[in-house]
Amino acid sequence: MNDRRSITLPRVLTFLAVVLVLKITGGVVLKYVDYFPPNFQSDFLLGREPYFFGTYRWAFYVHLLAGPVSLILGLILLSERFRHTFPKWHRLLGRIQVLDVLFLLAPSGLWMAYRAEAGPVAGVGFAVLAVTTGTTVALGWRSAVQRRFAVHRRWMTRCFLLLCSTVVLRLIAGVATVTGMQGTWVEPLAAWVSWVVPLAVFEAAGAVSRQIAIRPSQNSPTLSPAATEINARRTAAGN
């Protein structure tokens, strides 16, 4: 019974996370009616009219179109079943994801960060997020080319967590509205928390898992120095 619960719970949590990402992504797409043409009375565009027409407009529309694509592709590419069943499609969609994030989403996000409505603290947070997201997808692509697939999966998981910052931002905004949290500090804090906290949790969970994996069992035979060194290299390769 306990084994069944330990298997079912992660599946349920994964399912709920996928539903949440799809719901938020669908909400963003449905908001396109406010952006084509731009409605400056809508929530996001309110107050942006003075500087919208220019380079910001191009960055905004690129980001707006590239973001949902990256989230949907991320969900597909992280699926183990899809990767094993359709390896060629996994590679093709992976290349599209790299191009989308590295050349469209991250640069446009970096450009938009300069005009963050929540102020310079939030702007720096979004800028660092854009650079970090581009870095993770580039390192994920490089490790795949090098056929270091364990490393590749970890880098692309990091990338997807960073992409999901938009989902976390909307959750934080919803909680702030329901609880009545107000203040100039809320949005700048959310700009950092939305990606730093998920990434930190992922890294902490990975560190704990690696420690458990390399901890010798009391009932297991003592490994030779050569075998110990091999296991250490395998663990490092999966980092």
Side-chain angles (χ1 to χ4, degrees), residues 31-147:
K31 281 285 187 178
Y32 280 2
V33 294
D34 289 332
Y35 308 137
F36 300 95
N39 174 15
F40 295 103
Q41 300 304 313
S42 61
D43 291 339
F44 186 81
L45 292 181
L46 189 65
R48 299 181 189 268
E49 188 172 5
Y51 57 82
F52 182 83
F53 295 101
T55 55
Y56 183 89
R57 172 178 56 179
W58 298 110
F60 170 76
Y61 283 124
V62 168
H63 201 76
L64 187 67
L65 296 174
V69 172
S70 68
L71 285 171
I72 298 301
L73 287 179
L75 288 175
I76 296 172
L77 292 168
L78 287 181
S79 170
E80 291 289 329
R81 179 176 297 180
F82 180 84
R83 179 169 62 87
H84 289 298
T85 307
F86 306 104
K88 292 184 179 179
W89 276 102
H90 179 86
R91 290 192 293 271
L92 175 61
L93 294 181
R95 294 187 183 100
I96 296 174
Q97 178 77 319
V98 170
L99 294 174
D100 180 51
V101 174
L102 192 59
F103 295 105
L104 298 177
L105 189 67
S108 61
L110 183 61
W111 191 265
M112 290 176 65
Y114 176 72
R115 292 289 191 175
E117 285 292 304
V121 174
V124 172
F126 290 134
V128 176
L129 169 62
V131 173
T132 306
T133 305
T135 302
T136 56
V137 79
L139 291 174
W141 170 80
R142 187 182 70 172
S143 57
V145 171
Q146 296 172 340
R147 305 189 67 81

